[in-house]
Amino acid sequence: METKDVGRIVVGFILTLIGTGFHIFEPGWIINPSGAGGAFIGAGVVLIIITFREIRLRNKGTIVEDERIFHIAEKASHKTLVILIIFQGTLVAFLGVTASDIKAYPIVSLLFVITVISYAGFFHWYKRQM
């Protein structure tokens, strides 16, 4: 196990503990302790799972990172950025034209979900194409 693997596992564990603390203690300065706690727990668990998967693949002799994967990630990131710029521009124009009283939390959550889904989708699509 490499040093970066240990670091990612420790960071994942700390994120999970922070999220659990938000759920248990429900601090008053957090607007939505369940949402914040769930986000921290989800990020920590995903980081730990991805790290253990990479360790398992590396132990089997599979190359986890190569130039092809980096190129695919670059293309997927670029397409995701283009989509987000278009979507955010449309959203800013819509909010500027209308007098809607929309809170920021749902909008930021929506942008986060769109980012994750579009990046994952483009990554898998480019992986099959290349």
Side-chain angles (χ1 to χ4, degrees):
M1 192 177 319
E2 297 179 8
T3 307
K4 77 174 186 178
D5 296 332
V6 173
R8 286 198 286 182
I9 290 171
V10 168
V11 168
F13 184 68
I14 290 171
L15 289 173
T16 305
L17 283 178
I18 290 171
T20 305
F22 285 165
H23 275 294
I24 292 172
F25 299 114
E26 294 185 3
W29 53 272
I30 296 178
I31 296 170
N32 186 357
S34 296
F40 275 98
I41 291 172
V45 168
V46 166
L47 187 60
I48 291 170
I49 289 171
I50 288 173
T51 304
F52 279 128
R53 180 180 173 272
E54 286 182 5
I55 292 170
R56 185 178 53 86
L57 288 174
R58 210 176 306 123
N59 288 341
K60 284 183 173 180
T62 305
I63 297 173
V64 178
E65 296 176 340
D66 62 354
E67 290 81 19
R68 179 179 166 268
I69 295 295
F70 290 136
H71 186 64
I72 291 168
E74 287 172 0
K75 290 183 78 104
S77 298
H78 181 265
K79 286 294 184 188
T80 302
L81 179 65
V82 168
I83 287 174
L84 284 178
I85 288 172
I86 293 169
F87 185 72
Q88 288 174 355
T90 306
L91 183 64
V92 167
F94 173 75
L95 293 175
V97 171
T98 63
S100 60
D101 187 23
I102 298 175
K103 296 188 179 202
Y105 186 77
I107 299 295
V108 173
S109 299
L110 177 66
L111 290 174
F112 179 76
V113 168
I114 290 171
T115 303
V116 171
I117 290 173
S118 64
Y119 178 78
F122 281 122
F123 187 88
H124 289 294
W125 187 75
Y126 281 122
K127 194 172 184 180
R128 285 187 302 180
Q129 297 295 321
M130 300 177 101

